[in-house]
Amino acid sequence: MNRTLAGCLVYLARKLATAWQAVTIAAINIVTPLVCKILTKYESHARDGDLQASIYIKTTVFRWVITALAPAIVTPFADTASNADKSLLDGVRAIFIAEIWRVPLLAILDIIGNFRRHFLGPRAPDQRRMNLHFQGAHYNLGERYTEMTKILFYTFFYAVLFPTGFFYAFAGLVVLYWSDKFSLLRHWKQGPAIGDQISELSRSYFFGLALLAYGIFGSYHWAGFPFDNSCVTTEVISEEYIGTHNAITAGDEEVKITLSADNVNMKFCSQDMMRFSPIAFPALSRYQKEGEEYMTLEQERIVNLYGWLSIAILAVVAVIFLRRLVFNGLRNLFCHTYKPRGEATDIGFSEVREIFGYIPSIQVRGFQYPLLTCDLSGLKHTGLIGWKDPGVPYSEHNIIYDLPKADETLVTCEEEKSESAEGDCTKLFSIVKEWAD
């Protein structure tokens, strides 16, 4: 539903100009992560890395479809490589430029962040709520990965039609790196610690799919040249057509056409193999319709090369997918796959400053720090909590003390435990215990 609406917007924008199409796609790419985050709220994930991986998959698929596939679908085949203002090549170039400028422009302007710091912050009713406006923006690692994979997929998808796109992609990735580094150091707040789920998805699946798109769509694009759906016949034109004539193009432009006696008639022949029925896969020269052969000898060679190359890439990608999705799953059921990493040392867990303990807590909107939901009296090193509110004790952030007589209950439990090792004390809350030398 959302992709259909976005596709309609891309089509309507193209009717105006390719520049408007590029701006529309850039705007949709900004909104897409917000929609995906809303959809992901209805899912249940045990780890934050899995949550961001889910957002990454949805956002990547949506952006690939809107950025690369939608312009190719809404653009008529004959306008793919034409000199018209609304040709597909002009649209591809405009989208590259829009995407290169979108990321650094939003990072530098930081409209929402500046509004919160300079307008809402000074007008907050108390210090706590004022501090919330100076926290920095929350960033999602999955969304940042989609920016990279989107540029890669878009470049591979149109590599044959627009080889200059590799230079645009290089510029886009450089700009993306520096703008994200600037935002990470200046605008974004510290994100949660996550695993390698997103990088594993990109490396194992999405990079392979981008390479597969290069092989498959590259072969179809080579097969589509010269993108005019016309074939030369051996019939010489009639004498009544000789001379200069006025004609109206599909873009409602008036042009002059001069025909001479040695010109021959042209006839319609479909060059779009992706719309052949039955479908022509892989794209090979032998799938040209009888009597409508339009490829040159050199074109047939390159089409056949790309066609069989796409089959080879498809086979490799399929093997990788089967290995990771099926073989690895079956191997885990019947084989011992665990391999310990690292070596045992004399360094204690509590001595590593970068490692934090599991402290039950909840993040509530409107509070700068998480709310603790456990008894911390058994914790010797408060550094395991992972954060510190300067000048404020952790008890101020612990909601267990909001219960009546919670302090007295905890003190009584500690006294009973010290008097008898077998003392039984009713546990009202979860506890955090540390055993250290």
Side-chain angles (χ1 to χ4, degrees):
M1 181 67 179
N2 291 332
R3 273 182 282 190
T4 303
L5 176 60
C8 292
L9 293 176
V10 173
Y11 172 76
L12 295 176
R14 182 194 171 274
K15 301 292 285 185
L16 298 175
T18 54
W20 281 110
Q21 181 188 51
V23 172
T24 302
I25 291 176
I28 293 174
N29 285 334
I30 295 174
V31 178
T32 296
L34 304 178
V35 177
C36 294
K37 289 176 184 177
I38 294 175
L39 295 177
T40 312
K41 286 183 178 180
Y42 297 96
E43 302 173 0
S44 178
H45 298 278
R47 297 174 294 180
D48 196 79
D50 296 332
L51 173 66
Q52 295 201 27
S54 178
I55 297 175
Y56 168 65
I57 294 174
K58 296 181 181 65
T59 308
T60 299
V61 173
F62 199 99
R63 282 180 165 175
W64 282 14
V65 171
I66 295 302
T67 307
L69 295 178
I73 294 173
V74 303
T75 303
F77 179 79
D79 288 340
T80 300
S82 67
N83 294 325
D85 293 336
K86 299 178 182 178
S87 67
L88 180 60
L89 291 182
D90 285 341
V92 171
R93 183 186 299 106
I95 292 172
F96 263 120
I97 296 174
E99 290 298 323
I100 290 175
W101 281 101
R102 176 180 62 86
V103 175
L105 191 63
L106 294 177
I108 294 174
L109 292 178
D110 190 25
I111 300 175
I112 298 179
N114 283 316
F115 177 74
R116 294 184 61 183
R117 287 190 295 269
H118 297 288
F119 184 82
L120 297 180
R123 292 166 177 79
D126 53 54
Q127 185 68 37
R128 179 183 65 83
R129 277 177 278 193
M130 186 187 74
N131 292 341
L132 293 175
H133 296 297
F134 288 86
Q135 273 190 323
H138 173 74
Y139 75 95
N140 186 282
L141 189 60
E143 178 188 349
R144 307 319 306 160
Y145 260 85
T146 61
E147 296 286 356
M148 177 183 62
T149 54
K150 176 194 64 183
I151 294 176
L152 184 66
F153 179 81
Y154 188 68
T155 304
F156 283 175
F157 189 90
Y158 292 107
V160 171
L161 294 176
F162 195 69
T164 314
F166 284 100
F167 294 97
Y168 282 94
F170 171 76
L173 292 175
V174 171
V175 169
L176 180 64
Y177 169 79
W178 285 106
S179 60
D180 279 4
K181 183 176 181 180
F182 173 80
S183 298
L184 186 65
L185 300 177
R186 302 280 296 183
H187 293 163
W188 296 336
K189 66 180 179 180
Q190 184 177 358
I194 61 175
D196 60 348
Q197 294 91 336
I198 298 176
S199 60
E200 184 68 21
L201 278 173
S202 290
R203 184 173 60 254
S204 303
Y205 303 106
F206 287 100
F207 286 171
L209 290 175
L211 187 61
L212 181 62
Y214 171 74
I216 293 178
F217 291 101
S219 62
Y220 282 114
H221 289 155
W222 275 116
F225 278 100
F227 298 101
D228 56 6
N229 282 335
S230 61
C231 292
V232 180
T233 66
T234 57
E235 300 177 359
V236 180
I237 64 173
S238 175
E239 293 183 358
E240 59 182 315
Y241 293 118
I242 299 176
T244 302
H245 309 274
N246 294 328
I248 304 297
T249 66
D252 295 330
E253 297 180 2
E254 185 176 348
V255 296
K256 291 184 180 296
I257 300 176
T258 302
L259 301 176
S260 59
D262 58 348
N263 290 130
V264 295
N265 288 324
M266 308 291 291
K267 68 176 182 179
F268 175 84
C269 60
S270 178
Q271 299 169 350
D272 189 2
M273 282 194 176
M274 282 191 287
R275 290 180 171 85
F276 277 11
S277 181
I279 186 172
F281 181 79
L284 299 173
S285 60
R286 69 186 184 190
Y287 289 123
Q288 297 177 90
K289 296 181 179 179
E290 186 176 356
E292 296 184 358
E293 293 83 1
Y294 61 91
M295 295 186 188
T296 63
L297 181 60
E298 293 79 6
Q299 184 178 358
E300 289 183 353
R301 291 175 180 173
I302 193 68
V303 168
N304 293 333
L305 175 63
Y306 264 77
W308 291 116
L309 177 64
S310 66
I311 291 297
I313 297 176
L314 177 61
V316 173
V317 172
V319 169
I320 294 175
F321 277 32
L322 288 175
R323 177 178 176 272
R324 294 186 177 276
L325 295 176
V326 179
F327 177 75
N328 286 351
L330 294 176
R331 186 182 64 173
N332 293 336
L333 293 177
F334 301 101
C335 302
H336 178 73
T337 58
Y338 172 75
K339 294 181 179 180
R341 292 182 294 180
E343 298 179 357
T345 64
D346 295 331
I347 302 175
F349 182 89
S350 303
E351 298 176 17
V352 183
R353 296 176 59 88
E354 293 79 13
I355 297 180
F356 308 120
Y358 172 71
I359 311 297
S361 60
I362 56 175
Q363 186 70 52
V364 179
R365 187 175 182 179
F367 288 86
Q368 185 177 2
Y369 295 95
L371 298 181
L372 302 172
T373 59
C374 57
D375 177 14
L376 299 178
S377 58
L379 196 63
K380 298 181 180 180
H381 299 85
T382 56
L384 293 175
I385 297 178
W387 55 269
K388 173 65 177 176
D389 187 0
V392 179
Y394 286 107
S395 59
E396 294 294 326
H397 299 280
N398 202 328
I399 61 176
I400 69 174
Y401 296 109
D402 292 344
L403 296 177
K405 300 182 179 180
D407 290 337
E408 299 177 4
T409 304
L410 293 175
V411 171
T412 302
C413 288
E414 290 299 322
E415 292 177 351
E416 292 181 4
K417 292 177 183 178
S418 60
E419 292 176 0
S420 174
E422 300 179 356
D424 182 20
C425 178
T426 303
K427 297 179 177 60
L428 300 178
F429 315 105
S430 298
I431 62 173
V432 177
K433 200 75 173 176
E434 177 189 4
W435 287 268
D437 295 337

